C-alpha cells in the first residue's frame, strides 16, 4: 500500500557528494565528530542500513562498495529509484532543517517524482520577523499573519521545535521577561547578528499563539517530542507537559501531532487515547532505535487508537536514508500487527484496516488531503 510520509525533510542537492562520513550522519543524532568517526558505524542500525542499501545497489555491504556503486549513476534517477521503493504517495516536508545544501521547495518538486506538500517551521518563520516588529504582541501578530499566508498558499501544517529551544513544560509566559528577551533579540537583529529564538517566555508565547492560529486555520500543529540531537535537553521533551493544549478551552478543536516521541511513546500514546486532538508517530525512533523502535511501535498500540498513529520517516539528506527508514517502518508495523493477530488481540481484517489507517488514511484525514 502507498503511504503518506507526514513528516520528512528535503534531500540535499544531488551535486552534493556522498562520503562515508556523510552517510553515517544520516543514521545518527550525534553531532560530535569523534562519535561519528569512531562509533556510529558500529551501531546496529548502521550495520542493517548498509546491508539494505547494498542490496539495492547490488554490491557488498561496506561503505567503500556503496560509494563505488553510486559513482556513474545518474543522481536524479538514483534518488527517484530509491524513493519509489519506499512506496510513498505523498511527502509532507519541513524545509527548516537540512541546511544550505538542501534543495529548495521549487528544486525538490522539479527533481523528486513524488507528490509533495509543506509544513511551516514556526521558529524559523518567527526569527525572520523579529527585526520588523517593535513589540512581542506585534511580533506574534506578524507570525500569525505569516501562518495564514502560508496555509492559503498550500502549507498543510505548522511544526514547532520548542522542545529544543525551551522544553515542553508549557506555562503562561512571564510578560516582563518576554519583553526583555525580545528587546535583546531586536538588538541582535539591528546589528546584523544571527537570531536564535530560545527560552521559555518567548518560545512558549509563540507556541501558544501559533496553537490558536492552527486551531483557527484547521491545520495540525506538529510538535517535536522525545529524542533528538544533543542540542536538546531530553528531560524537558516529555509530551505530557503539553497538557494545556488539550484541556484549555481556547485550544478546543486543535489537532496536535506528537513527532518521534521515543522514549516517551507510552506517554504520547496515553495522550492520544484520552484527548481528541492528540495524535502521534514514531518517526526517527524507527529506524534510529533499531529493534527497540519496533518494540516501541508495538507498545504504542497498547493505548494509542489505530486512528491516532501516523507513519513518517523523518528522513533527510540522501535517498538512502528514506529507503532504510521506510523499509524498517513497514517491517515494524507488519510485525506489530502480525503479533497482535497471532495473540488474538486483532483479527486479520482488523489488522489490515489498522495498517491502512497508519500508513495513509490518518494523515489524509488530519491534514485534509484528498
Amino acid at each position: 500500500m502507498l503511504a503518506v510520509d507526514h513528516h520528512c525533510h528535503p534531500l540535499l542537492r544531488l551535486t552534493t557528494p556522498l562520503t562515508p562520513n556523510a552517510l553515517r550522519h544520516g543514521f545518527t543524532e550525534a553531532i560530535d565528530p569523534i562519535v561519528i568517526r569512531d562509533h556510529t558505524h558500529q551501531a546496529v542500525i548502521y550495520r542493517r542500513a548498509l546491508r539494505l542499501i547494498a542490496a539495492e545497489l547490488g554490491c557488498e555491504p561496506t561503505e567503500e562498495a556503496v560509494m563505488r556503486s553510486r559513482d556513474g549513476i545518474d543522481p536524479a534517477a538514483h534518488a527517484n529509484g530509491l524513493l519509489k521503493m519506499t512506496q510513498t504517495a505523498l511527502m509532507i516536508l519541513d524545509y527548516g532543517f537540512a541546511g544550505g545544501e538542501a534543495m529548495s521547495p521549487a528544486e525538490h518538486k522539479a527533481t523528486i517524482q513524488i507528490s509533495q506538500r509543506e509544513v511551516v517551521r514556526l521558529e524559523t518563520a518567527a526569527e525572520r520577523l523579529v527585526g520588523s516588529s517593535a513589540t512581542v504582541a506585534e511580533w506574534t501578530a506578524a507570525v500569525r499573519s505569516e501562518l495564514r499566508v502560508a496555509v492559503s498558499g498550500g502549507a498543510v501544517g505548522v511544526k514547532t521545535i520548542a522542545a529544543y529551544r525551551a522544553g515542553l513544560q508549557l506555562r503562561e509566559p512571564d510578560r516582563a521577561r518576554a519583553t526583555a528577551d525580545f528587546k535583546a533579540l531586536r538588538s541582535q537583529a539591528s546589528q546584523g547578528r544571527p537570531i536564535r529564538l530560545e527560552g521559555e517566555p518567548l518560545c512558549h508565547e509563540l507556541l501558544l499563539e501559533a496553537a490558536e492560529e492552527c486551531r483557527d486555520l484547521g491545520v495540525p500543529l506538529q510538535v517535536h517530542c522525545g529524542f533528538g540531537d544533543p542540542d536538546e535537553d531530553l528531560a524537558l521533551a516529555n509530551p505530557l507537559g503539553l497538557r494545556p493544549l488539550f484541556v484549555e478551552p481556547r485550544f478546543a478543536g486543535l489537532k496536535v501531532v506528537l513527532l518521534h516521541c521515543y522514549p516517551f511513546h507510552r506517554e504520547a500514546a496515553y495522550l492520544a487515547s484520552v484527548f481528541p486532538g492528540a495524535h502521534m508517530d514514531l518517526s526517527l525512533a524507527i529506524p534510529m532505535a533499531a529493534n527497540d523502535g519496533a518494540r516501541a511501535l508495538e507498545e504504542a498500540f497498547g493505548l494509542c487508537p489505530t486512528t491516532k498513529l501516523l507513519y513518517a520517516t523523518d528522513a533527510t539528506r540522501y535517498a538512502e536514508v528514506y529507503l532504510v527508514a521506510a523499509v524498517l517502518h513497514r517491517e515494524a508495523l507488519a510485525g506489530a500487527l502480525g503479533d497482535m493477530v497471532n495473540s488474538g488481540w486483532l483479527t486479520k481484517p482488523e489488522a489490515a484496516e489498522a495498517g491502512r489507517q497508519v500508513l495513509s488514511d490518518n494523515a489524509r484525514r488530519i491534514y485534509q488531503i484528498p
Side-chain angles (χ1 to χ4, degrees), residues 247-264:
V247 300
E248 292 189 8
R250 62 174 163 156
F251 302 119
L254 173 67
K255 296 176 286 188
V256 177
V257 184
L258 306 172
L259 306 177
H260 320 314
C261 300
Y262 181 87
F264 305 118

Side-chain angles (χ1 to χ4, degrees), residues 35-56:
V35 175
I36 304 295
R37 184 193 68 201
D38 296 343
H39 303 290
T40 297
H41 65 295
Q42 300 293 345
V44 171
I45 174 54
Y46 192 70
R47 293 181 176 186
R48 179 76 192 281
L50 271 182
R51 290 196 297 274
L52 288 171
I53 295 166
E56 298 302 332

Side-chain angles (χ1 to χ4, degrees), residues 83-328:
L83 290 172
K84 183 177 180 180
M85 294 174 190
T86 69
Q87 300 183 67
T88 301
L90 176 68
M91 305 164 74
I92 300 180
L93 293 145
D94 167 14
Y95 280 88
F97 167 69
E101 292 303 311
M103 284 190 266
S104 68
E107 290 173 315
H108 213 272
K109 289 175 182 175
T111 305
I112 302 305
Q113 299 166 356
I114 295 174
S115 295
Q116 299 161 51
R117 304 295 287 272
E118 299 171 38
V119 296
V120 182
R121 181 172 284 217
L122 177 62
E123 289 75 14
T124 302
E127 287 166 349
R128 289 196 300 265
L129 296 168
V130 168
S132 59
S133 304
T135 65
V136 174
E138 189 177 307
W139 174 62
T140 56
V143 173
R144 292 183 68 154
S145 177
E146 181 104 337
L147 298 183
R148 289 193 291 273
V149 170
V151 170
S152 67
V156 296
V158 177
K159 156 85 177 291
T160 176
I161 55 167
Y164 277 92
R165 303 298 182 83
L168 297 181
Q169 304 307 303
L170 283 185
R171 52 181 67 89
E172 283 299 318
D174 181 317
R175 304 297 180 185
R177 281 187 57 198
T179 297
D181 289 352
F182 189 72
K183 183 178 179 180
L185 280 184
R186 276 183 51 80
S187 176
Q188 293 174 28
S190 68
Q191 297 168 31
R193 294 162 55 193
I195 298 294
R196 178 179 169 84
L197 177 64
E198 57 188 349
E200 282 190 13
L202 286 181
C203 288
H204 288 179
E205 177 76 16
L206 178 67
L207 175 54
L208 295 172
E209 290 282 343
E212 287 187 348
E213 192 61 44
C214 287
R215 177 211 58 199
D216 293 345
L217 294 170
V219 299
L221 176 66
Q222 298 180 346
V223 184
H224 175 108
C225 305
F227 83 127
D229 68 41
D231 192 38
E232 173 192 55
D233 185 343
L234 185 58
L236 301 178
N238 190 321
L240 292 180
L242 297 169
R243 191 172 186 274
L245 297 181
F246 305 119
V247 300
E248 292 189 8
R250 62 174 163 156
F251 302 119
L254 173 67
K255 296 176 286 188
V256 177
V257 184
L258 306 172
L259 306 177
H260 320 314
C261 300
Y262 181 87
F264 305 118
H265 51 282
R266 290 175 173 174
E267 289 87 339
Y270 159 73
L271 293 172
S273 73
V274 296
F275 296 119
H279 309 80
M280 67 176 291
D281 74 24
L282 278 160
S283 61
L284 194 60
I286 305 171
M288 296 295 187
N291 199 45
D292 204 34
R295 283 192 291 266
L297 181 63
E298 189 158 3
E299 288 177 347
F301 274 124
L303 275 177
C304 184
T306 60
T307 48
K308 295 291 203 85
L309 187 61
L310 283 75
Y311 166 88
T313 62
D314 193 35
T316 186
R317 294 189 178 95
Y318 300 100
E320 285 83 355
V321 180
Y322 291 83
L323 174 68
V324 172
V327 168
L328 295 185

